[in-house]
Amino acid sequence: MNIKPLLLASLIIPATAMAEFENASYSYLGVGQETLEYSESTNDFGGLKFKTKYKGSNLVQKSGGYTAVGEKYGFFLSTSSTLLANEEREKWRFPSIGVVQEDDMTVKRTAIDILGVFHLQNGHFFNLGSRYNSVSFSRFNFSSTDRTNELNAAIFARADHSDAELTKQLNDLIAKAQAANVCITNSSKQCIGTKQADGSYNVSLEDFKEAKKFNPEATSGVVFEDMASWSLLAGWGYDSYFIRKEIGMRYQFAFRVGTAIYESVLNTKNNKSLTRSFGGDWDLHALAGVGYQFRPEFGVMATLEYNMIHREEIRDGNVFLPVNDLKALSPQITANWAF
């Protein structure tokens, strides 16, 4: 037996929902408190694994709107951003050693979504579009722990950090520095060794080893880092507003996944930016909300929103950003209007 398409649609989508559906535009503005978790990890920091851990909370806003196009189509244009970032302590942990560094850290993020919509005319819809993500960090007040010396001992116990290997590296650096008439510098861009009467520097093996030690206090001032990316997103959503605008309860749900198509990273400690296209990274977004329509043109929603950004290591020579994950959970209150 052949079932006609119209009959099949009536079995899937209730007739009342089809009849009540209205593709209507609206705008919204909201504020909330966001809990952020950020981590970086690598399997090769001096041949050892490490992972950083940060958790803090920020005041955030989100705003935007939906614009209807025809009977079944439309698009969302929305933004969310940090209004006030709080300082929290970040810890750098090596599984085989423990926490070797701590610092104060703030994290700010901005997201802009442009999403096309195709309605199923029963409150459900599909999304396809893009997201711009910007995450900014500031790190300062770096300090060692009682495990920092253990990390240095583990690094210098490696074959590529033996006295013989380091002496070879130092001799190569001295030759290059003399040819360029410059000094050998440490991670803080300061000349190492003993300054001579002619202005040159005499660098001993001990000077070189001291410069290569992991020394958190050597980082002065504030280290800033900016990560930006464009991602393609696809997903599903539901909003009861499209099928019932009368006074009463309103419900929203959304789930989207995406992949980054372009990334850019800049750190003030480095003299170059890092870029990559189609790195295989991914984004995830989920939302659930319940609210009340006080009038067909005005309502208030309470939403719980979750965002996760995963980025693989990006590297150019000795400059790199480790594997990193950002998780953000945000309860928010939004006002919706359609005047």
Side-chain angles (χ1 to χ4, degrees):
M1 179 184 297
N2 292 325
I3 302 177
K4 294 183 178 180
L6 184 60
L7 177 58
L8 182 59
S10 69
L11 294 175
I12 299 174
I13 304 173
T16 54
M18 293 281 285
E20 295 174 358
F21 173 81
E22 181 184 351
N23 192 12
S25 304
Y26 66 87
S27 302
Y28 64 85
L29 176 64
V31 65
Q33 191 73 16
E34 184 173 71
T35 300
L36 281 169
E37 294 184 30
Y38 178 76
S39 65
E40 295 179 359
S41 61
T42 181
N43 293 328
D44 189 15
F45 184 94
L48 301 172
K49 295 181 180 180
F50 91 91
K51 184 175 184 178
T52 69
K53 184 178 181 180
Y54 164 88
K55 185 175 182 178
S57 61
N58 295 336
L59 182 67
V60 297
Q61 72 81 32
K62 70 174 184 178
S63 59
Y66 170 76
T67 301
V69 179
E71 295 183 359
K72 295 183 179 181
Y73 301 96
F75 63 90
F76 285 105
L77 176 59
S78 60
T79 66
S80 61
S81 60
T82 302
L83 296 177
L84 180 63
N86 294 317
E87 301 172 10
E88 295 293 344
R89 204 67 175 156
E90 181 186 35
K91 297 183 178 181
W92 299 54
R93 179 184 297 276
F94 286 73
S96 59
I97 298 172
V99 176
V100 301
Q101 174 181 292
E102 294 186 359
D103 57 80
D104 291 328
M105 184 177 184
T106 64
V107 180
K108 298 180 180 180
R109 74 179 193 92
T110 299
I112 303 174
D113 291 343
I114 304 175
L115 300 169
V117 174
F118 173 75
H119 286 282
L120 300 181
Q121 296 183 293
N122 61 348
H124 297 267
F125 52 85
F126 293 120
N127 285 138
L128 181 64
S130 67
R131 163 171 284 195
Y132 168 78
N133 266 312
S134 175
V135 183
S136 300
F137 311 95
S138 61
R139 291 183 171 107
F140 52 96
N141 193 22
F142 294 85
S143 62
S144 301
T145 72
D146 56 359
R147 299 298 179 88
T148 306
N149 287 335
E150 293 183 39
L151 172 62
N152 283 315
I155 292 175
F156 284 102
R158 289 169 48 90
D160 58 358
H161 279 67
S162 66
D163 284 358
E165 181 61 30
L166 291 177
T167 299
K168 180 181 177 181
Q169 294 178 21
L170 176 58
N171 290 334
D172 289 342
L173 287 174
I174 290 174
K176 292 178 180 178
Q178 290 176 343
N181 196 27
V182 296
C183 65
I184 301 172
T185 60
N186 57 22
S187 60
S188 299
K189 309 301 181 184
Q190 298 173 330
C191 295
I192 63 173
T194 304
K195 191 172 184 178
Q196 306 299 301
D198 62 358
S200 63
Y201 283 81
N202 180 32
V203 183
S204 68
L205 178 60
E206 289 305 314
D207 293 328
F208 189 50
K209 291 175 71 173
E210 189 65 29
K212 290 183 74 67
K213 281 185 178 179
F214 181 73
N215 181 13
E217 282 81 7
T219 303
S220 59
V222 182
V223 176
F224 295 100
E225 185 167 87
D226 292 318
M227 298 192 305
S229 64
W230 281 100
S231 299
L232 291 177
L233 290 178
W236 156 90
Y238 173 83
D239 192 339
S240 62
Y241 179 76
F242 293 117
I243 56 175
R244 194 172 72 88
K245 297 179 179 60
E246 293 80 9
I247 296 174
M249 301 299 292
R250 178 177 176 178
Y251 303 96
Q252 290 179 332
F253 302 97
F255 182 82
R256 304 179 186 107
V257 293
T259 184
I261 59 175
Y262 178 79
E263 302 163 65
S264 175
V265 180
L266 178 63
N267 187 299
T268 54
K269 287 189 66 177
N270 302 321
N271 59 2
K272 67 169 70 175
S273 62
L274 302 174
T275 59
R276 175 171 63 189
S277 299
F278 298 98
D281 307 318
W282 50 270
D283 298 37
L284 183 148
H285 169 81
L287 178 142
V290 59
Y292 194 82
Q293 287 294 125
F294 295 96
R295 298 173 53 187
E297 301 87 3
F298 179 78
V300 174
M301 297 290 298
T303 62
L304 183 64
E305 188 171 350
Y306 178 78
N307 287 281
M308 182 173 181
I309 304 172
H310 173 81
R311 298 291 182 260
E312 289 293 326
E313 179 182 290
I314 179 171
R315 179 184 292 269
D316 184 359
N318 293 326
V319 179
F320 75 102
L321 176 68
V323 175
N324 59 90
D325 292 288
L326 177 70
K327 302 174 185 177
L329 182 65
S330 177
Q332 300 172 344
I333 298 294
T334 63
N336 305 267
W337 64 90
F339 297 114

